[in-house]
Amino acid sequence: MKTDPDQGPLCLSETGGGVATVTLNRPDARNAMNLPLLRQLVGALRDAREQGVDVMLLKAEGPAFCAGADIRSDDGTAEGRPGLRRRLIEEACDLVEAFPASVAAVQGPAVGGGWALAVAATVTLATPRAMFRFPELRLGFLPPDQTVRRLRAAVGPAAAFRLLVADERFTGDDLARLGLVDVVEPADLGHRARHLAEQFAAAPSDLVRTLRTSLTA
């Protein structure tokens, strides 16, 4: 009998060395975010913050980081909560940003809400050919406010407008030139991301929180 791949753990989480590692685990669907994955992701991020973990590493299984919202799945309408999928994506982005330090490791396509998750991290590492794209406006949606705010602060309003509106495909190399990501070769991505997260965790947590507040005020 064929099993439903969405019945398993769609988001993996473990904590060690002062780092909460959260892994999107729906590789057959390019880690597209349906309601089950989003609920598990939000739950994992909440649990890590409630446990007092200050550093989070976000990564994904398979060749894609995250293909964005799974628009072929229920957005919450079937359970009487239309728009729930978008609200959960926004909550996940807010939770990622709430960590005093976070690292996103992007090995492949990061589209729409997937790119929003990466933008929410303190530092994003990406392979040179990782692909980033925001198709939201073409689909009739605005990007999350938090994403707009962070991109504007990072690259200025004109560049942020192009990134969000043009529906272009940007590589890791493209975004590195804008200062949005650090480029890492594919073979080194996992190690470099883990090492950076552990470096953040080794710093005095109270000073990290204070510095993060100063930088984002």
Side-chain angles (χ1 to χ4, degrees):
M1 182 175 65
K2 186 177 179 180
T3 60
D4 183 351
D6 285 349
Q7 293 302 308
L10 304 180
C11 183
L12 308 174
S13 179
E14 61 177 345
T15 301
V19 178
T21 302
V22 177
T23 307
L24 305 180
N25 188 41
R26 200 185 176 212
D28 291 344
R30 301 172 72 235
N31 295 309
M33 294 182 288
N34 59 4
L35 291 181
L37 185 152
L38 283 165
R39 285 185 168 118
Q40 292 181 33
L41 173 60
V42 167
L45 294 170
R46 281 179 182 165
D47 287 347
R49 289 302 294 132
E50 289 171 1
Q51 293 167 14
V53 180
D54 284 337
V55 181
M56 191 271 300
L57 169 60
L58 179 65
K59 58 191 187 73
E61 291 291 338
F65 177 73
C66 178
D70 187 346
I71 59 175
R72 297 172 297 180
S73 68
D74 176 36
D75 71 346
T77 300
E79 55 185 70
R81 303 175 69 185
L84 176 61
R85 182 177 59 213
R86 179 181 174 85
R87 291 194 295 274
L88 286 172
I89 290 173
E90 291 175 345
E91 183 176 0
C93 290
D94 288 342
L95 285 165
V96 170
E97 189 176 32
F99 284 86
S102 54
V103 179
V106 180
Q107 79 280 24
V111 179
W115 190 0
L117 282 174
V119 169
T122 314
V123 176
T124 300
L125 305 183
T127 59
R129 304 304 299 170
M131 187 275 288
F132 298 81
R133 175 176 166 241
F134 267 121
E136 262 68 357
L137 269 71
R138 300 292 191 276
L139 298 172
F141 304 104
L142 286 171
D145 288 343
Q146 179 250 52
T147 303
V148 175
R149 171 173 50 79
R150 288 208 68 183
L151 283 176
R152 184 184 187 280
V155 300
F161 188 85
R162 179 185 173 188
L163 293 172
L164 294 169
V165 177
D167 194 20
E168 295 180 40
R169 289 168 170 80
F170 299 93
T171 66
D173 281 335
D174 292 331
L175 297 190
R177 285 190 284 271
L178 291 173
L180 286 172
V181 307
D182 293 338
V183 167
V184 179
E185 291 302 320
D188 298 328
L189 181 64
H191 171 74
R192 286 279 300 278
R194 181 71 196 181
H195 179 66
L196 184 59
E198 289 176 345
Q199 284 184 307
F200 289 158
S205 59
D206 56 337
L207 298 182
V208 170
R209 288 192 291 269
T210 299
L211 180 59
R212 180 67 190 279
T213 299
S214 298
L215 289 170
T216 56

